Amino acid sequence: MRRIVGGAFVSLDGVMQGPGGPEEDTQGGFASGGWMAALFEEAVGHQVDTLFAPPFDLLLGRRTYDIFAAHWPFMPADDPIAASFATIDKYVLTRSDERLEWEGSHRLADVDALAALKAGDGPTLVIQGSSTLYPQLLQRGLLDRLVLMVAPVTLGAGKRLFGDGTPPGAFRLVEQRLTPGGVLMSTYEPDGALKTDSFEMETPSAREMARRDKMEAGRW
């Protein structure tokens, strides 16, 4: 069985849109593209190299695939990431029938197709970007590991790592390091259902009960 490992550049407020440049992804009027490129440093580069250590294949959403397919095949042949991407398989989870022009690309029509791919033999499937994948993967229990590189910036708006449809759940911290520039690099693995508890008093006050009544009635 294959493993699925997600890697993402994320801001403090959870945005992962357009980290690489101003024109990478302007959807929704996003005007802060290039925020991670401005903070890139050796330690972050090492984490990226570790994420893309062979053997692996890529797993991408359609928009991230389009970004990659318009960039990496046109990089110098001696660029190590470009050279690696040229030889691996690229799997794209998309409902679109538009042709995938990057050599070695394969369309996955739905999450069932991805689950079947994961159940087979092969190298780890590595996600980069592709915010739309995470809610679906977590709903189906398909994500094995998540590598976050959290930048010390807020962006205020943009596509979130955990968007609509993300189920509640717990994660276990596997590794964590802080770069000299303040990027927090954390590796997590899913750890079952979300657990809850309470700091509330055993016998709530009358004022608290009144507050709850207002909350229930939509007047709070």
Side-chain angles (χ1 to χ4, degrees):
M1 177 179 287
R2 295 188 186 223
R3 301 177 74 239
I4 296 180
V5 175
F9 300 120
V10 188
S11 68
L12 285 176
D13 52 343
V15 175
M16 60 183 295
Q17 185 170 354
E23 300 302 321
E24 184 177 81
D25 184 356
T26 60
Q27 278 200 319
F30 187 70
S32 300
W35 52 273
M36 191 67 204
L39 297 170
F40 204 80
E41 54 185 312
E42 183 178 356
V44 176
H46 176 72
Q47 183 76 309
V48 172
D49 291 342
T50 301
L51 182 67
F52 291 131
F56 73 96
D57 288 333
L58 277 175
L59 173 61
L60 304 170
R62 180 64 203 230
R63 292 190 179 97
T64 300
Y65 171 82
D66 286 344
I67 293 169
F68 275 32
H71 176 80
W72 290 110
F74 305 98
M75 290 289 287
D78 60 354
D79 182 282
I81 293 182
S84 179
F85 284 0
T87 61
I88 64 171
D89 288 313
K90 281 75 72 171
Y91 294 95
V92 188
L93 186 62
T94 177
R95 292 188 296 270
S96 171
D97 292 327
E98 188 176 346
R99 182 168 175 264
L100 302 175
E101 297 183 350
W102 194 4
E103 185 177 355
S105 299
H106 312 275
R107 179 177 177 268
L108 298 172
D110 51 34
V111 180
D112 288 337
L114 173 56
L117 176 67
K118 177 176 167 57
D121 295 328
T124 296
L125 297 164
V126 176
I127 306 168
Q128 181 66 28
S130 306
S131 61
T132 58
L133 296 187
Y134 288 101
Q136 302 177 73
L137 294 176
L138 291 170
Q139 287 171 4
R140 293 286 295 270
L142 296 176
L143 185 68
D144 295 292
R145 177 168 282 198
L146 182 60
V147 180
L148 300 183
M149 290 156 276
V150 182
V153 297
T154 56
L155 301 175
K159 299 173 184 177
R160 256 65 182 184
L161 171 64
F162 298 124
D164 293 343
T166 300
F171 286 80
R172 177 176 67 89
L173 182 65
V174 175
E175 179 187 60
Q176 191 169 69
R177 289 176 290 132
L178 184 66
T179 74
V183 177
L184 184 62
M185 303 186 297
S186 304
T187 300
Y188 297 93
E189 292 180 350
D191 194 31
L194 177 70
K195 302 174 181 66
T196 63
D197 208 327
S198 176
F199 294 116
E200 297 172 352
M201 296 183 295
E202 289 187 15
T203 304
S205 67
R207 186 174 297 173
E208 167 62 10
M209 295 306 297
R211 184 194 69 84
R212 294 184 191 181
D213 288 343
K214 288 172 63 178
M215 184 168 55
E216 182 69 21
R219 295 182 286 105
W220 182 54

